[in-house]
């Protein structure tokens, strides 16, 4: 039941206390990594090893700390540590707030390039234009919500933090990562995201038009690049039934309609995830 309580309290804090969304700056990750990198500069390691070793070290430190708190002090402190890490990593409300800002920018005709608030949470690659940002909404929901839940269930709160660190290396503009290292990190996250992408695609199909989503899934091409395959699959399945919904809202801006549609799909999919997790907890898969 600890797993259920951690997810429940993390979501309650995330949605009830809005200011907490503004406290999840990745500056602490960036600062810690720069100190770690500076410490290793005399060892002449390959850059990719440095980027990979940092989340591993963080994972081990918090795992040992959690073990010590649970066994030597009191389980309550272990629970509080796990809750703090999960609240920091899981961003459903922050993601939704970014979408609200994006809708406001569209309605007010604000130049998106003048603001950095869309860069990390709603990352769209080198082409940070409006269409690219919107078309990648479902994949970005994976990064900020579903993949975090998956790594938490698989590796605990420390695993979720390690995933966020790797994700920060790939998509944040504050840490400059060379292309070779970024390719390795993308491959690692693609492997991690392989299962949650497909579980989320299935939940999107369940909460929307199952036949259309399933048809889109079948025609989505398999690619050698697993990273691009994950992105194309989750985005194409997510928007598979949008055209049918759009026909009933002809007077609505298409980009605004896509965002509203995506918000609804992601919220319902999150509920589906929670139902699946609840079932797994009841059956004893998670404790």
């Amino acid at each position: 039941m600890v797993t259920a309580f951690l997810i429940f309290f993390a979501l309650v804090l995330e949605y009830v206390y809005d200011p907490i969304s503004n406290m999840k700056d990745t500056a602490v990750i960036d600062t810690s990594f720069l100190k770690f990198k500076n410490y290793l500069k005399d060892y002449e390691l390959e850059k990719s090893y440095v980027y990979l070793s940092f989340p591993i070290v963080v994972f081990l430190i918090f795992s040992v700390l959690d073990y010590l708190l649970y066994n030597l002090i009191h389980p309550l402190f272990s629970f509080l540590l796990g809750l703090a890490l999960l609240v920091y990593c899981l961003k459903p409300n922050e993601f939704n707030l970014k979408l609200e800002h994006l809708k406001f920018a569209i309605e007010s005709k604000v130049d998106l390039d003048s603001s950095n608030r869309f860069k990390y949470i709603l990352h769209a690659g080198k082409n940070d234009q409006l269409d690219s940002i919107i078309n990648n909404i479902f994949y970005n929901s994976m990064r900020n919500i579903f993949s975090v839940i998956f790594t938490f269930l698989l590796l605990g709160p420390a695993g979720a933090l390690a995933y966020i660190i790797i994700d920060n290396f790939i998509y944040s503009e504050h840490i400059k990562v060379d292309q070779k290292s970024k390719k390795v990190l993308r491959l690692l996250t693609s492997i991690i995201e392989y299962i949650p992408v497909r579980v989320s695609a299935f939940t999107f199909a369940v909460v929307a038009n199952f036949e259309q989503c399933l048809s889109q899934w079948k025609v989505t091409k398999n690619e050698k690049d697993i990273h691009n395959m994950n992105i194309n699959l989750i985005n194409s399945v997510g928007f598979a039934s949008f055209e049918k919904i759009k026909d009933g809202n002809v007077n609505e801006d298409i980009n605004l309609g896509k965002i509203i549609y995506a918000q609804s799909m992601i919220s319902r999919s999150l509920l589906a995830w929670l139902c699946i997790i609840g079932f797994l907890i009841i059956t004893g898969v998670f404790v």
Side-chain angles (χ1 to χ4, degrees):
M1 294 300 291
V2 175
T3 301
F5 281 126
L6 281 172
I7 294 176
F8 173 76
F9 283 116
L11 291 175
V12 168
L13 288 172
E14 173 79 6
Y15 283 105
V16 172
Y17 188 60
D18 281 344
I20 207 167
S21 294
N22 298 319
M23 296 165 60
K24 299 182 183 182
D25 199 315
T26 58
V28 63
I29 295 176
D30 301 335
T31 303
S32 301
F33 172 71
L34 291 176
K35 291 180 179 179
F36 177 80
K37 185 179 180 181
N38 189 54
Y39 176 77
L40 293 179
K41 67 179 181 180
D42 297 329
Y43 292 91
E44 297 183 355
L45 297 173
E46 283 193 26
K47 291 181 179 180
S48 58
Y49 292 158
V50 176
Y51 290 112
L52 287 172
S53 59
F54 181 64
I56 293 174
V57 169
V58 170
F59 173 78
L60 292 175
I61 289 174
F62 279 100
S63 295
V64 171
L65 180 60
D66 179 68
Y67 177 84
L68 294 175
L69 290 173
Y70 187 88
N71 291 280
L72 299 182
I73 301 180
H74 195 278
L76 176 62
F77 292 98
S78 172
F79 179 84
L80 292 176
L81 174 65
L83 180 62
L85 292 179
L86 188 57
V87 167
Y88 179 77
C89 297
L90 193 58
K91 305 180 180 74
N93 192 42
E94 183 176 4
F95 181 76
N96 192 59
L97 287 174
K98 296 298 181 184
L99 293 183
E100 291 297 329
H101 292 160
L102 185 57
K103 287 197 296 185
F104 176 78
I106 293 173
E107 292 174 337
S108 305
K109 302 186 184 304
V110 175
D111 183 9
L112 296 181
D113 295 332
S114 65
S115 174
N116 289 323
R117 61 187 175 187
F118 306 109
K119 297 290 185 182
Y120 177 67
I121 298 295
L122 298 178
H123 188 81
K126 295 180 180 179
N127 182 22
D128 281 325
Q129 300 299 316
L130 181 61
D131 289 342
S132 297
I133 293 173
I134 292 175
N135 290 332
N136 279 279
I137 284 179
F138 287 103
Y139 178 69
N140 284 318
S141 73
M142 284 294 310
R143 293 175 44 235
N144 293 286
I145 305 172
F146 302 113
S147 291
V148 174
I149 295 176
F150 177 77
T151 50
F152 164 70
L153 294 174
L154 197 65
L155 299 172
L161 181 59
Y163 170 78
I164 287 296
I165 291 172
I166 299 173
D167 182 79
N168 185 61
F169 286 157
I170 297 173
Y171 296 106
S172 175
E173 295 185 345
H174 299 294
I175 296 291
K176 301 300 180 182
V177 182
D178 62 285
Q179 290 302 315
K180 181 181 178 181
S181 299
K182 190 169 286 191
K183 185 177 180 180
V184 174
L185 294 171
R186 279 202 181 108
L187 176 61
L188 179 58
T189 55
S190 299
I191 295 171
I192 295 171
E193 293 169 349
Y194 187 87
I195 294 176
V197 160
R198 282 145 186 82
V199 173
S200 294
F202 177 76
T203 58
F204 290 156
V206 170
V207 301
N209 188 307
F210 188 83
E211 291 184 358
Q212 283 186 315
C213 290
L214 191 61
S215 297
Q216 184 62 48
W217 190 333
K218 290 179 179 179
V219 300
T220 301
K221 295 181 180 179
N222 291 326
E223 302 180 33
K224 292 183 179 180
D225 188 335
I226 189 174
H227 178 71
N228 289 333
M229 183 175 66
N230 285 341
I231 294 175
N232 292 335
L233 176 63
I234 194 70
N235 286 331
S236 59
V237 171
F239 281 117
S241 57
F242 173 72
E243 291 298 323
K244 188 174 182 179
I245 294 177
K246 183 190 70 174
D247 293 340
N249 299 275
V250 292
N251 295 323
E252 188 175 72
D253 183 281
I254 185 171
N255 288 322
L256 200 60
K258 277 188 173 183
I259 297 172
I260 295 172
Y261 169 79
Q263 282 180 300
S264 175
M265 286 276 289
I266 292 166
S267 297
R268 286 181 284 169
S269 184
L270 178 58
L271 288 175
W273 267 72
L274 295 178
C275 290
I276 294 171
I277 293 169
F279 174 77
L280 294 175
I281 291 172
I282 292 173
T283 55
V285 176
F286 300 118
V287 296

